[in-house]
Amino acid sequence: MVMFTAPEAKVLVVDDIKTNLKVAYGFLEPYKMTVDMCLSGEEAVELVKNEVYHLIFMDYRMPDMDGIETTKKIRAIDDTNPYYKHLPIAALTADVGADRKEIFFKNGLDDFISKPIEEEKLHKILEKWIPKHLQVPADIDYGADGGGSLGGGGGSHGDGSVGSGSSGGSGGAAGLPQIEGIDIQTGIRLSGGTVQYFYETLASFYSDVLERFDLMSESINAGDLSRYSTFLHAIKAAAAIIGAGHIFDLAVELETAGDSGDIEFIKRNNDNFYTELKQLLFNIKPALAAYDARGTDLISDEHDELIKKELAILASALEVYDIVATNKSIDTLLRIAKTEEKKKAIRDISQHLLLFEYDKAMEIIKSMV
C-alpha cells in the first residue's frame, strides 16, 4: 500500500539483469516518480552526469563494474559539486550479512535493500531518502485485500531463498495454469503483486537466461570464476523473484563454488544446471505464449487512421521506455483492430515487448504505419 506519491522525484535503478529492472519498476510505479533504468555501471555514471536524481538503487554485483566501483565513480565525477557526494545510493543485493552492510557503508553507499524486493522495506527507503517536500500524501484505499496481492504459497525467507510451494507447480494460484518448476503464487507476490507483472517478469527472466548461457560457458572456459559467479548471482536473484525454487538452490551452490574457486565442483555440476535451466525455459515458453494470446474483446470498427495514430503513440512511449503508456497502447490497439492480420501483428508487438526486443517491435510498428 503506497502512503505517498512523488511525481516530481526522479529515481535511477541500476542492474545488469532485466528481470530485476522489471520488478523494481513494478514496485516503484505506484509512487508516480520518474524511473530511469540501465543495465551497467558505465551507463549509470553517464546518466548521473546528465540527469538530477533523488535516489539511486544500485545492484551490488555486476560484471565489468560492480555497484561499489560505480558508486565511487559517481562520487568522483566532480569534487566541487555536492550533488555527486550527497546523492543517496542504496545497494540492491541478495547478500545482506553484517559484513556486507559494513562494506557498503565504507564505500560510499547510504542504504541497502535485499532481493527479492519487499514492499514495506522499499517504502521505508523511499520515505527516508526522497525529499519530504516532494512527497504527496496518497489517497488510501483500505480494501479488504490490502492492495490485491495474491500472496501466500512458498514465500521468501530471510536469507533470500525461495519456498518452492508444491513440488513443481503453481502452488494453487487461482485460475492460472501450472508452470512446472515455478511457484506462481510466490512469483506474483515477489514480482509486484499482479498477474500481468508476473508474466512480464517471467518474459524478462526467459530473455536474461538465454543471454547468459554462452557468457557463463565462456567464463568457465577462460577460468574466470569471479565472472561466472556474477552471472550465477544474477540468475539466482531472478529465479527467487519468479518462484523457481529448484533453480535458485542449484544457482546458490554453483555461485558459492565459483566464489571459493572450486572449479571441480563446477565442472561436475554445471551441465546438470544447464539441463535444468533449459527445461525451465521450455516450460515457461508456452505459458508466455498462452498469456499473450489470451485474447481481447474487439469492440470497435474504427478506421485504420485510428490504428496509425495509436501506433504513433506506442512508438513515442517506446522511445522513452514508458511501460505504462506502452501497455495502454497495446490494450487500445487490440480493442480497435479490425482484421486478424492486424490483431496478430499487435500481439507480435506485445510479445517482443515482453522479451525486451524493442527493435523488433519497432520494425512491426513501422511496417504497419
Side-chain angles (χ1 to χ4, degrees), residues 221-234:
N221 294 335
D224 190 347
L225 296 190
S226 176
R227 189 172 180 83
Y228 172 79
S229 292
T230 298
F231 291 132
L232 261 297
H233 182 85

Side-chain angles (χ1 to χ4, degrees), residues 57-346:
F57 289 100
M58 180 73 67
D59 184 23
Y60 162 61
R61 195 162 188 178
M62 297 182 287
D64 300 321
M65 185 188 296
D66 67 21
I68 287 176
E69 186 180 354
T70 304
T71 298
K72 288 181 177 179
K73 285 187 177 293
I74 289 172
R75 301 294 188 211
I77 289 174
D78 184 352
D79 290 337
T80 66
N81 189 339
Y83 163 67
Y84 299 110
K85 182 178 180 181
H86 299 295
L87 170 60
I89 303 178
L92 273 171
T93 178
D95 304 314
V96 290
D99 58 335
R100 192 72 68 192
K101 297 174 188 177
E102 185 176 353
I103 291 172
F104 294 153
F105 296 142
K106 282 185 176 180
N107 286 278
L109 288 121
D110 304 288
D111 213 326
F112 62 89
I113 184 168
S114 60
K115 300 177 188 175
I117 294 173
E118 295 181 25
E119 186 176 13
E120 183 178 351
K121 292 180 179 178
L122 175 66
H123 178 79
K124 288 180 179 178
I125 285 182
L126 293 173
E127 188 176 40
K128 179 179 179 180
W129 295 109
I130 297 299
K132 296 299 181 185
H133 70 277
L134 298 181
Q135 297 182 23
V136 180
D139 293 328
I140 306 300
D141 179 8
Y142 294 99
D145 64 358
S149 172
L150 301 180
S156 64
H157 306 294
D159 59 359
S161 62
V162 170
S164 57
S166 58
S167 61
S170 69
L176 295 178
Q178 290 191 348
I179 304 173
E180 188 68 25
I182 290 177
D183 179 349
I184 294 180
Q185 281 188 323
T186 296
I188 291 172
R189 181 171 59 82
L190 296 180
S191 60
T194 70
V195 172
Q196 178 179 339
Y197 275 134
F198 169 69
Y199 276 94
E200 291 178 358
T201 303
L202 206 60
S204 297
F205 177 85
Y206 187 94
S207 174
D208 282 324
V209 171
L210 285 180
E211 290 175 1
R212 280 161 173 75
F213 272 121
D214 289 343
L215 295 173
M216 287 189 291
S217 295
E218 290 169 6
S219 298
I220 294 174
N221 294 335
D224 190 347
L225 296 190
S226 176
R227 189 172 180 83
Y228 172 79
S229 292
T230 298
F231 291 132
L232 261 297
H233 182 85
I235 291 175
K236 175 188 76 174
I241 289 167
I242 65 168
H246 181 55
I247 292 299
F248 174 91
D249 291 338
L250 295 177
V252 168
E253 292 179 349
L254 287 165
E255 180 192 1
T256 302
D259 287 340
S260 64
D262 190 348
I263 185 66
E264 294 305 318
F265 181 91
I266 292 171
K267 287 180 177 179
R268 289 196 308 271
N269 293 279
N270 192 66
D271 286 348
N272 177 63
F273 177 66
Y274 279 9
T275 299
E276 296 283 351
L277 202 50
K278 288 176 181 177
Q279 181 62 51
L280 183 63
L281 296 188
F282 181 82
N283 298 341
I284 288 172
K285 190 172 183 178
L288 291 176
Y291 181 74
D292 188 55
R294 63 197 181 281
T296 302
D297 290 333
L298 303 173
I299 59 174
S300 175
D301 292 321
E302 295 290 340
H303 190 267
D304 280 357
E305 286 302 313
L306 190 57
I307 294 273
K308 292 180 180 179
K309 288 180 181 178
E310 193 60 44
L311 285 169
I313 293 172
L314 176 58
S316 298
L318 267 177
E319 289 177 358
V320 297
Y321 195 60
D322 187 335
I323 294 176
V324 176
T326 57
N327 288 340
K328 182 178 179 181
S329 285
I330 290 292
D331 289 342
T332 299
L333 286 163
L334 285 170
R335 286 198 305 271
I336 65 179
K338 294 185 294 184
T339 67
E340 282 302 320
E341 182 182 7
K342 283 189 175 64
K343 286 182 278 185
K344 181 181 182 306
I346 293 163

Side-chain angles (χ1 to χ4, degrees), residues 2 4-9 27-35 138-139:
V2 172
F4 70 87
T5 60
E8 301 301 318
F27 277 103
L28 290 168
E29 183 185 11
Y31 291 89
K32 300 183 180 179
M33 299 176 291
T34 298
V35 181
D139 293 328

